[in-house]
Amino acid sequence: DIQMTQSPYSLSASVGDRVTITCRASQDIKKSVAWYRQKAGQAPELLLFGASRLESGVPSRFSGSGSGTDYTLTLGSLQPEDFASYYCQQYYSLPYTFGQGTKVDIK
Amino acid sequence: EEQLVESGGGFVRPGESLRLSCAASGFSFDSYNMNWVRQAPGKGLEWVSYINSASNRIYYGDSVKGRFIISRDNAQNSLFLHLSSLRAADTAVYYCARKGSGFGGYLDLWGRGTLVTVSS
């Protein structure tokens, strides 16, 4: 199985801050990575797929990059609704696997 | 509006069984591959199972293989997960999630989940 190592585990930030979350895969996953935001008590929602493709309706302050084994989610300017948990997911091969998650809370 | 609504969760004893359902609406259910993903309390996401639109390709995570069965009824726009030989470690919110229509297994639509609690 492909392991996804996500970091940091948690971070504190303020509204307007730029935030970066990273995921490292245990093998080359050829940009087959998605990012999700999960607000407290809610289901996850897709933000990006294909490492950098923004899902329809997702604000442009979210961006993604990376290739090979290393991928990054960037939130350009944190908004109040962005204080949540974030997960990466590889879909290069089954079983799909997720990173451990990053909780973003208010500083 | 595209929507997935899970049901069937509840409290069960170890070793018992449960059947979860997921009702789809607002899109052509029979054109999409579907998944179950679970989340233990306070923990991260774990992929559980996948079924393609024709029900002829089915996969399971190692932790549930041999105990859970995924199925679907395209005529009823419904996805199911039969859980048997339940363990405390199966306690989680179970989400049904649609695989995106593009290439790859990203999950573009999720239900709100149904909670399964396994305890003696």
Side-chain angles (χ1 to χ4, degrees), chain A residues 1 9 32 34 36 38 41-46 48-50 55 87 89 91 94-101, chain B residues 35 37 39 42-47 50 59-62 95 99 103-113:
Chain A
D1 299 359
Y9 176 75
S32 297
Y36 302 87
Q38 185 178 31
Q42 298 186 22
E45 54 182 322
L46 177 66
L48 299 109
F49 59 96
E55 170 70 346
Y87 294 91
Q89 176 221 351
Y91 52 88
L94 285 163
Y96 301 146
T97 46
F98 293 87
Q100 301 95 320
Chain B
N35 296 264
V37 176
Q39 186 171 36
K43 302 297 184 183
L45 300 169
E46 180 189 10
W47 173 80
Y50 164 100
Y59 303 97
Y60 299 98
D62 285 345
Y95 296 101
K99 176 190 166 309
F103 177 78
Y106 58 91
L107 306 174
D108 72 345
L109 181 67
W110 296 64
R112 299 187 71 171

Side-chain angles (χ1 to χ4, degrees), chain A residues 1 9 15-16 34 36-38 41 49 52 54 62-63 65 69 72 78 86 89 92-93 95 100 103 106:
Chain A
D1 299 359
Y9 176 75
V15 172
Y36 302 87
R37 176 178 66 182
Q38 185 178 31
F49 59 96
S52 60
L54 205 62
F62 293 96
S63 63
S65 64
T69 61
T72 298
L78 268 180
Y86 294 83
Q89 176 221 351
Y92 180 73
S93 66
Q100 301 95 320
K103 185 174 182 180
I106 300 174

Side-chain angles (χ1 to χ4, degrees), chain B residues 32-52:
Chain B
Y32 286 87
N33 304 332
M34 298 295 296
N35 296 264
W36 287 98
V37 176
R38 70 183 181 182
Q39 186 171 36
K43 302 297 184 183
L45 300 169
E46 180 189 10
W47 173 80
V48 172
S49 185
Y50 164 100
I51 186 169
N52 73 338

